[in-house]
Amino acid sequence: MTASPAPHLPGAVLRPVRGHHAFEACVEQLATAIRLGVYPLGSTLPPERELATMLHVSRATLREAMAALREAGLVQTTRGRGGGTVVTLKPRTPPARAAARISAARRGDWLDALEFRRIVEPGAAYLAASATLDQEHLGQLERAHAEVAAATKTAQHRQADSRFHLTIASLSGSPRTVEAVTSVQATLHEMLLAIPVLGTNIAHSDRQHAALVRAIESGNAERARKTMEQHCDDTAALLRGLVG
């Protein structure tokens, strides 16, 4: 069965490229979207013209970025009628003893990202719960939550978890908040690949996700913020303990 991206996420996560380094920025944004499962394995990226419009770059720049993604093994492109660019990157599972191989500099950057996350994601949850959400928005949140609960494989669960957090950010209605949460989720994704998968932690996380959904759907912004703070704190404590 061909996978499909969550319809609301690409438009929220992919943002206009700023600055003079359009090629590098395109590669970064598209690769991040693929690794976080915005475009899961087997899904087809939007047509070239549509992606170029979303990123505010020329089609020539986009073609160069897509070539880089192909060379890195993230996508595969077929030409002609019925063709397109399909995601080929398989979600990764944590290798054994990966945390022991992390450099001091990277470890410091990761720990800083946890502090940044503690500021950004609770704010995103607060904004989402404060917003006037229609049935479409509520459906996006419930589907994202259901995908996390239904994921049976570790790597799929990690991507579904990222999509859940990105969905909450998108419901904030703030593009800068989405940009910040995307950045911190990309770093968190790297960190979680460095530690073993712990069933107890996943079960605890799933309960917190359910509490977040209830708080946002009921419009309880303060409870949503506090629940996300606790969620971030618990994940940070686990990562600090295992990553060092």
Side-chain angles (χ1 to χ4, degrees):
M1 184 175 65
T2 302
S4 299
H8 63 285
L9 283 182
V13 171
L14 298 180
R15 57 197 183 277
V17 167
R18 297 191 291 267
H20 300 293
H21 305 288
F23 163 70
E24 292 84 354
C26 279
V27 172
E28 179 185 21
Q29 286 201 45
L30 290 169
T32 297
I34 289 169
R35 289 195 176 95
L36 294 182
V38 174
Y39 292 108
L41 175 67
S43 63
T44 301
L45 297 186
E48 187 179 273
R49 184 189 302 274
E50 183 179 335
L51 269 181
T53 299
M54 292 170 70
L55 294 167
H56 287 201
V57 297
S58 68
R59 293 176 72 175
T61 296
L62 182 66
R63 289 190 194 107
E64 292 174 348
M66 297 302 285
L69 296 178
R70 284 194 294 273
E71 289 184 25
L74 273 67
V75 300
Q76 185 175 42
T77 302
T78 55
R79 304 295 180 186
R81 188 177 182 86
T85 298
V86 176
V87 174
T88 55
L89 180 72
K90 293 183 179 179
R92 293 170 54 198
T93 54
R97 301 182 62 81
R101 299 191 292 271
I102 304 302
S103 69
R106 172 164 286 193
R107 185 176 285 110
D109 179 63
W110 282 2
L111 295 179
D112 179 62
L114 294 178
E115 299 291 345
F116 181 56
R117 185 190 188 206
R118 179 59 158 70
I119 297 170
V120 172
E121 293 219 37
Y126 183 96
L127 289 175
S130 301
T132 302
L133 303 178
D134 58 22
Q135 288 303 310
E136 180 180 354
H137 292 133
L138 294 174
Q140 292 168 2
L141 179 63
E142 290 168 0
R143 283 191 295 274
H145 180 227
E147 286 179 4
V148 181
T152 57
K153 296 183 178 179
T154 300
Q156 291 174 343
H157 186 277
R158 172 84 283 277
Q159 287 192 334
D161 186 274
S162 292
R163 288 194 296 270
F164 176 74
H165 284 268
L166 291 173
T167 295
I168 291 176
S170 73
L171 296 178
S172 74
S174 166
R176 288 187 181 275
T177 298
V178 176
E179 183 176 351
V181 172
T182 301
S183 172
V184 81
Q185 279 291 318
T187 303
L188 186 68
H189 182 73
E190 290 183 43
M191 295 182 74
L192 290 170
L193 285 175
I195 68 171
V197 178
L198 304 171
T200 301
N201 171 249
I202 289 178
H204 186 201
S205 178
D206 286 347
R207 289 193 295 271
Q208 290 176 325
H209 285 173
L212 272 168
V213 171
R214 290 194 297 271
I216 292 172
E217 289 185 336
S218 65
N220 192 329
E222 191 60 30
R223 181 172 295 278
R225 181 184 66 79
K226 288 181 178 179
T227 302
M228 183 66 87
E229 282 180 351
Q230 187 62 60
H231 184 51
C232 291
D233 287 346
D234 289 346
T235 303
L238 181 70
L239 287 166
R240 288 191 184 102
L242 296 178
V243 172

